[in-house]
Amino acid sequence: MTRAYDDPCGLARALNLVGDRWALLIVRELLLGPKRFTQLRRGLPGASQSMLTARLAELEEAQVVRRRRLGPPASTWAYELTEWGRELQPALVPLARWGSRSPLTSSAELSVDALALALTTTFDPAAAGDLEVRCQLRLDGDTLLLTIYDGKMDVTRADASDADMVIETSAVGLRALTFGGASLDAVDATIQGDRETVARLLRLFKRPTPITTLD
């Protein structure tokens, strides 16, 4: 840990644990489930191997993250959030929503997990109305299940053979479809299911209103 605040406030104590650079982004990459070190590096290409190793060690020491061996067929070590670490999710969603209104200064692409968080923060319950659908997202070799029900949205890392529809594309492609206003025909994507329902689903995510002036 490179910095500690000598302040008893709960916020300061939280920042002592997850306030260093890359820490919360590691948490973001683990919200949907465990990942191997190589998968974390793929989701955080701007973090050097040494930096990522150091942050993971600090998060382990803070009991936010733990290592465990994945079962067959993988049989390899991975990182996952502890129960306490998962309690960060309700805090990250409004923080991400707040930050998305700031000027966009990065030209980097969103990782699959970052895109999943963006979908969560921009989902419009009013636009969803009575829509109930389970959509399999296949993005860059990753598989997510997006479920809409009762004006709510849930996204998990899962493979569901009984999903109502399937969208197979890249994270770049899905970002263009949801936030860029691209049509289904304009993006390299494979669609299974009713295209009108797919198009309705893609319109459920409102682009954040940017902050243009400060009081």
Side-chain angles (χ1 to χ4, degrees), residues 6 26 32 42 59-60 90 107 110 154 158 167 182 188 194 209:
D6 184 18
I26 291 172
L32 300 183
R42 193 178 308 129
L59 291 171
E60 277 192 272
S107 59
L110 293 175
D154 181 57
I167 302 175
D188 183 11
D194 182 70
T209 303

Side-chain angles (χ1 to χ4, degrees), residues 51-113:
M51 175 68 77
L52 187 55
T53 299
R55 287 293 174 268
L56 284 167
E58 291 167 2
L59 291 171
E60 277 192 272
E61 184 179 358
Q63 301 183 61
V64 174
V65 166
R66 65 183 167 218
R67 291 179 74 223
R68 74 172 176 92
R69 184 177 290 278
L70 298 178
S75 296
T76 187
W77 287 97
Y79 293 90
E80 68 179 1
L81 295 175
T82 63
E83 183 176 350
W84 192 41
R86 286 194 296 272
E87 290 180 15
L88 282 165
Q89 182 169 7
L92 289 187
V93 171
L95 182 61
R97 184 180 293 118
W98 181 80
S100 67
R101 299 187 64 196
S102 67
L104 181 61
T105 58
S106 173
S107 59
E109 295 298 340
L110 293 175
S111 70
V112 171
D113 291 79

